[in-house]
Amino acid sequence: MSKNPIPITVFTGFLGAGKTSVILSLLPKLSKDYKIVLLKNEYGDVEVDSKLAQESNLAAVSEILNGCMCCVLVGQMQNALLEIRDQYHPDRIIIECSGSAFPATLAFQIREMERNTDGDFKLDAIVTVIDAENFIGYEDTSPTAKMQASYTDLLLINKWENVSERQLETVMDHLHTLNDLTPKIRCDGRNGVDPLLIFGVGSKLFLDENTSAQAQDSSHVDEVQTLTLYRGLPPKHNHQNGDEHHDEHSRNPNEKPTLIHRDTLIDHLTKIRRESVWRVKGFIRVLEANIETVYILNWAFGRYDLTKTDPSVLADFSSVQLTAMGERGEVRRAIGPFCRELELSIL
């Protein structure tokens, strides 16, 4: 039995809320000898955020792909926590959930880990990141977004700087209705939030081991549909629910694809329909001033970032590997114009 249990801080929040950015903003504020391991879960099969996180001063990054660890990937999360404990002996583990994860389910699972390991772990806090620009829109259609705001120890209000005071008041009113007593803290832009406000909370959520019934609903996975978009060499892909489709742009994998001009990419990113497409992320090789450059693309609800990265993340015969996430039944049609213009195939 560990004398000092490893505290676990869980970050939830809907797709594109800014969880990764908030987590990475915490790290420079900590002492250099404070060892944190990030366990990240995301739909799709492209380890985008892990590439960003690996450039930080995290002790390690582990990523669970192609599913949600609060339901279908429960065993993987538990095994990953044990491996992190044994291999790294960290001062803290941060779990970053997929955008559709139920915090109640995760809290219950970690409580089970506390009991099953005689206290090697402890749930320190469930932290929910709220996208102030888009929360009202997706709250209306997503039961998961409401659950995330309701079952949490702390609400972090992100992306509030560009909304009007009246819009922000509306968001806060909705959050107070869902969760009146939980503290609500505004992030300071790219500076995020003070770790002292997040670490050491000592969560009281789901201390009772008889609360499992409330934590077993996995119906939320039907809210989000995930597609893999690519140009050139098809990525290794675990097709979920038998959802496989090759469009008219599928080509010989040994044929080196032509590159997309950066200006062309940006032009078409601005035209993606944010009502049905909520997140696009991955790697893309572009032609910029006659030079090949590989970027990490992060697009969420109309906002996007392009971050230069090591060209080795893409195979020689691949120029695009993206994951698109959005409204089930609508995302394929909504992302169609973007794929046609950039000659992307869909899996």
Side-chain angles (χ1 to χ4, degrees):
M1 176 178 176
S2 300
K3 292 182 179 179
N4 296 311
I6 302 170
I8 298 176
T9 303
V10 178
F11 279 81
T12 70
F14 202 66
L15 295 166
K19 299 182 291 295
T20 302
S21 297
V22 171
I23 291 169
L24 295 182
S25 73
L26 295 169
L27 304 178
K29 303 179 180 72
L30 301 169
S31 63
K32 292 183 179 179
D33 60 349
Y34 192 80
K35 189 186 296 185
I36 290 182
V37 173
L38 172 63
L39 174 58
K40 178 172 174 54
N41 176 217
E42 188 57 275
Y43 279 108
D45 53 6
V46 183
E47 298 182 1
V48 176
D49 292 329
S50 287
K51 296 296 182 185
L52 291 171
Q54 285 166 3
E55 299 174 8
S56 69
N57 59 341
L58 286 163
V61 179
S62 177
E63 189 155 46
I64 297 176
L65 301 170
N66 282 313
C68 183
M69 64 186 174
C70 80
C71 47
V72 296
L73 301 182
V74 173
Q76 288 190 40
M77 184 195 79
Q78 294 172 341
N79 290 337
L81 288 174
L82 294 173
E83 289 175 7
I84 290 170
R85 176 198 64 184
D86 296 340
Q87 184 172 353
Y88 297 103
H89 310 288
D91 296 300
R92 179 175 299 272
I93 297 172
I94 291 178
I95 297 178
E96 182 184 348
C97 305
S98 71
S100 63
F102 273 2
T105 313
L106 288 164
F108 180 78
Q109 290 170 14
I110 295 169
R111 294 300 187 196
E112 279 195 323
M113 293 289 289
E114 291 178 2
R115 293 186 286 269
N116 294 340
T117 61
D118 293 326
D120 283 356
F121 303 95
K122 72 172 181 180
L123 176 62
D124 188 30
I126 301 284
V127 178
T128 300
V129 181
I130 299 295
D131 174 359
E133 289 184 346
N134 299 290
F135 180 74
I136 300 303
Y138 60 65
E139 178 210 10
D140 289 339
T141 58
S142 172
T144 302
K146 293 180 181 178
M147 288 286 288
Q148 290 171 344
S150 301
Y151 293 92
T152 186
D153 296 293
L154 189 67
L155 288 162
L156 295 184
I157 315 303
N158 198 24
K159 304 182 184 180
W160 58 272
E161 297 89 348
N162 294 324
V163 303
S164 68
E165 185 175 339
R166 183 172 181 179
Q167 287 174 307
L168 184 58
E169 288 178 355
T170 301
V171 172
M172 298 305 291
D173 286 344
H174 281 235
L175 291 174
H176 284 304
T177 299
L178 290 169
N179 197 336
D180 187 35
L181 299 178
T182 296
K184 301 164 185 67
I185 300 172
R186 296 186 193 184
C187 294
D188 181 18
R190 293 286 184 178
N191 291 324
V193 67
D194 188 337
L196 293 177
L197 297 174
I198 294 179
F199 297 164
V201 171
S203 177
K204 299 298 188 294
L205 292 174
F206 296 93
L207 285 171
D208 183 357
E209 58 185 290
N210 295 319
T211 55
S212 59
Q214 188 176 4
Q216 298 305 314
D217 183 2
S218 61
S219 61
H220 65 289
V221 297
D222 292 329
E223 290 182 24
V224 180
Q225 183 174 3
T226 302
L227 303 174
T228 296
L229 318 178
Y230 70 95
R231 190 176 185 183
L233 186 68
K236 294 179 181 179
H237 189 76
N238 179 17
H239 304 290
Q240 299 179 62
N241 302 322
D243 184 17
E244 180 175 357
H245 172 71
H246 296 269
D247 70 8
E248 66 270 22
H249 301 299
S250 296
R251 64 186 71 206
N252 185 335
N254 294 319
E255 176 188 346
K256 195 166 185 177
T258 56
L259 299 183
I260 299 166
H261 285 267
R262 189 178 191 275
D263 291 342
T264 302
L265 170 65
I266 291 174
D267 178 51
H268 292 295
L269 285 174
T270 63
K271 298 175 183 177
I272 295 176
R273 287 178 47 199
R274 54 189 283 183
E275 297 83 6
S276 300
V277 183
W278 302 328
R279 191 80 194 274
V280 180
K281 58 197 296 187
F283 307 114
I284 185 162
R285 194 190 312 272
V286 302
L287 194 61
E288 184 176 14
N290 294 320
I291 298 174
E292 288 189 14
T293 306
V294 176
Y295 283 99
I296 297 172
L297 168 64
N298 260 305
W299 183 99
F301 292 99
R303 282 191 179 197
Y304 69 88
D305 288 314
L306 288 168
T307 305
K308 288 184 180 180
T309 191
D310 188 332
S312 66
V313 298
L314 283 173
D316 290 341
F317 292 96
S318 175
S319 64
V320 178
Q321 285 191 14
L322 301 173
T323 298
M325 291 163 273
E327 182 180 359
R328 181 163 293 279
E330 296 294 328
V331 62
R332 183 183 295 276
R333 181 168 57 86
I335 201 67
F338 177 78
C339 293
R340 287 191 291 273
E341 292 293 339
L342 299 185
E343 298 185 355
L344 306 183
S345 300
I346 303 176
L347 280 175

